């Protein structure tokens, strides 16, 4: 089936891959795309008397596809589609095998990232530790023990953490290319507003305006959106800021900015970005009293229990961050209740 996916449906794999990263595409829609692709593969296999059995991807086969010119993105997405039909125990063994194969280093990193974006990622989060996620999202090929140690401190962060500890974590995330990533979001969502301001003030002295705004917005504090909006026309990639605003407010953004304008601004249309800025600025005063005190992710409060429909309405990355945050908060609570340290 792996060969079936890659040989006949690369375009569809890339559509799914891109959809998983779009703040305007819901988990439910991605699930529909995946189901359609699965049906196509089954029909094609049946029509051509090919094997219809899902088995753990073979490393030699993955290397061969890589050498034949298939992209890392399509190979990793095909693996994800196969893994969706395998037991989690088999998937974890496969992930470990890929991680230990030097020739598949880039593919392995993408597989881990894509695993986190799956609808059932809440079940997978406990099986992939924070260090593995850090390795997967980092732009560096080799990570120092010092950096890994610092990243694991994310699990210790509380409103009582001191500035030195916070800056150490932030520095290591930044140096490894994770300014705008689920791990940075997980870190910032664990901080108080005062701590977020401290980290953002520090960030403003060492990273670009774009990255500083990304840091602010990943904290989920709605009151910071007007500030980011005022300088939207000054940043190099306003579409990234638009995406983060969407990931805070979710469908709540629709009362502030016309949906079509949002979509065009997210696609980098310069006039749409200006229209986005003007509409948000004009409409914000009417909703400030009900919104400014909120802390949201995809329009939902962080500790709000969500049903399956509400989870499906999120975009894939917001769901991934929500699952990470929910899991690690529950771990911290259990440890605290048992009187042990994390």
């Amino acid at each position: 089936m792996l060969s079936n996916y890659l040989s006949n449906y690369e375009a569809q794999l890339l559509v799914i891959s891109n959809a998983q990263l779009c703040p305007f595409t819901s988990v439910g829609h991605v699930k529909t795309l995946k189901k359609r692709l699965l049906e196509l593969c089954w029909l094609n296999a049946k029509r051509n008397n090919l094997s219809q059995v899902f088995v753990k991807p073979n490393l030699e086969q993955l290397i061969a596809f890589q050498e034949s010119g298939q992209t890392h993105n399509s190979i990793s997405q095909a693996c994800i589609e196969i893994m969706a039909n395998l037991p989690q125990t088999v998937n974890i063994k496969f992930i470990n095998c890929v991680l230990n194969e030097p020739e598949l280093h880039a593919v392995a990193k993408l597989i881990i990232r894509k695993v986190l974006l799956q609808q059932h990622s809440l079940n997978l989060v406990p099986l992939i530790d924070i260090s593995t996620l850090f390795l997967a999202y980092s732009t560096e090929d080799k990570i120092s023990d010092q950096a890994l140690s610092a990243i694991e401190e994310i699990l210790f962060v509380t409103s009582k953490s001191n500035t030195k500890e916070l800056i150490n974590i932030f520095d290591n995330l930044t140096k490894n290319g994770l300014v705008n990533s689920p791990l940075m979001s997980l870190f910032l969502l664990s901080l108080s507003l005062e701590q977020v301001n401290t980290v953002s003030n520090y960030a403003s002295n060492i990273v670009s305006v774009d990255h500083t705004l990304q840091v602010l917005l990943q904290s989920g504090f709605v009151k910071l959106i007007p500030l980011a909006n005022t300088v939207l026309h000054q940043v190099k990639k306003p579409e990234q800021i638009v995406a983060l605003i969407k990931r805070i407010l979710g469908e709540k953004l629709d009362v502030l900015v016309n949906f079509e304008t949002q979509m065009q601004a997210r696609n980098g249309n310069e006039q749409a970005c200006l229209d986005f800025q003007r509409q948000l600025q004009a409409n914000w005063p009417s909703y400030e009293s009900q919104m400014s005190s909120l802390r949201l992710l995809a329009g939902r409060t962080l500790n709000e229990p969500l049903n399956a429909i509400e989870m499906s309405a999120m975009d894939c990355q917001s769901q991934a961050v929500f699952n990470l945050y929910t899991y690690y908060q529950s771990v911290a609570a259990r440890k605290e209740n048992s009187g042990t340290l994390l």
Side-chain angles (χ1 to χ4, degrees):
M1 289 298 281
L2 178 67
S3 179
N4 190 2
Y5 272 101
L6 280 169
S7 299
N8 301 300
Y9 302 104
E10 183 178 15
Q12 289 92 330
L13 288 170
L14 295 178
V15 167
I16 291 171
S17 181
N18 291 333
Q20 290 175 146
L21 299 175
C22 178
F24 292 92
T25 304
S26 70
V27 169
H29 179 66
V30 172
K31 183 182 179 181
T32 299
L33 293 176
K34 286 171 166 286
K35 183 179 179 181
R36 288 175 184 167
L37 178 54
L38 175 61
E39 291 170 348
L40 287 173
C41 283
W42 271 102
L43 287 172
N44 184 64
K46 185 176 181 179
R47 189 182 303 119
N48 293 286
N49 295 318
L50 301 173
S51 172
Q52 299 171 40
V53 178
F54 287 92
V55 296
K56 183 177 71 173
N58 182 283
L59 298 190
E60 289 72 23
Q61 189 179 22
L62 295 183
I63 292 171
F65 275 118
Q66 186 173 259
E67 292 176 344
S68 70
Q70 294 277 7
T71 66
H72 296 149
N73 198 0
S74 58
I75 293 171
S76 58
Q77 192 62 50
C79 287
I80 289 293
E81 303 311 317
I82 298 297
M83 291 165 66
N85 297 278
L86 297 175
Q88 299 295 44
T89 52
V90 174
N91 288 336
I92 291 300
K93 289 179 181 178
F94 169 64
I95 289 172
N96 288 331
C97 288
V98 179
L99 284 171
N100 291 322
E101 174 51 65
E103 290 188 55
L104 293 171
H105 182 70
V107 171
K109 292 179 72 156
L110 284 172
I111 287 174
I112 298 296
R113 295 186 194 184
K114 292 173 186 290
V115 161
L116 193 61
L117 299 175
Q118 302 313 299
Q119 187 177 35
H120 55 291
S121 65
L122 185 58
N123 299 323
L124 291 166
V125 168
L127 304 178
I128 302 175
D129 62 35
I130 202 80
S131 297
T132 302
L133 287 174
F134 181 56
L135 286 165
Y137 278 95
S138 174
T139 56
E140 302 297 320
D141 291 332
K142 293 183 179 180
I143 309 298
S144 68
D145 291 339
Q146 181 182 5
L148 288 173
S149 177
I151 293 309
E152 288 175 351
E153 293 295 316
I154 289 176
L155 307 182
F156 294 78
V157 166
T158 70
S159 59
K160 297 179 182 179
S161 298
N162 64 48
T163 299
K164 183 179 179 181
E165 293 169 338
L166 302 181
I167 295 305
N168 185 39
I169 295 171
F170 176 78
D171 276 340
N172 279 283
L173 287 168
T174 303
K175 289 173 183 176
N176 285 277
L178 281 78
V179 169
N180 190 352
S181 71
L183 287 182
M184 180 66 85
S185 296
L186 173 63
F187 168 56
L188 293 165
L189 288 171
S190 302
L191 306 183
S192 67
L193 179 59
E194 183 181 359
Q195 288 172 318
V196 168
N197 286 332
T198 298
V199 172
S200 298
N201 288 336
Y202 173 77
S204 67
N205 292 316
I206 63 169
V207 298
S208 65
V209 173
D210 288 62
H211 284 170
T212 301
L213 291 177
Q214 289 170 24
V215 170
L216 280 169
L217 294 174
Q218 284 177 91
S219 70
F221 286 110
V222 175
K223 66 171 59 180
L224 299 174
I225 289 176
L227 172 62
N229 190 55
T230 59
V231 293
L232 189 62
H233 63 289
Q234 298 176 15
V235 299
K236 292 181 179 179
K237 294 185 177 181
E239 63 272 15
Q240 293 183 347
I241 306 303
V242 169
L244 286 169
I245 292 174
K246 180 67 174 179
R247 286 195 165 109
I248 292 179
L249 293 176
E251 62 184 17
K252 289 180 172 62
L253 181 59
D254 297 348
V255 302
L256 298 169
V257 179
N258 174 272
F259 185 76
E260 187 61 32
T261 300
Q262 296 175 42
M263 291 284 289
Q264 292 179 8
R266 173 64 178 89
N267 292 329
N269 181 286
E270 186 175 349
Q271 182 57 51
C273 287
L274 290 173
D275 291 341
F276 181 100
Q277 183 183 38
R278 291 167 183 159
Q279 289 180 35
L280 197 157
Q281 186 173 6
N283 293 324
W284 176 253
S286 299
Y287 295 91
E288 183 174 10
S289 60
Q290 60 182 279
M291 284 193 179
S292 61
S293 63
L294 301 176
R295 191 176 200 181
L296 303 174
L297 180 61
R300 304 290 179 176
T301 57
L302 295 178
N303 297 314
E304 178 182 356
L306 304 182
N307 60 38
I309 294 175
E310 291 167 330
M311 288 292 285
S312 291
M314 285 184 162
D315 67 280
C316 290
Q317 183 160 314
S318 290
Q319 181 196 238
V321 172
F322 184 87
N323 286 340
L324 279 173
Y325 178 82
T326 301
Y327 172 68
Y328 284 114
Q329 287 292 307
S330 68
V331 169
R334 288 199 301 271
K335 294 292 184 180
E336 184 176 350
N337 291 336
S338 65
T340 60
L341 296 175
L342 274 172

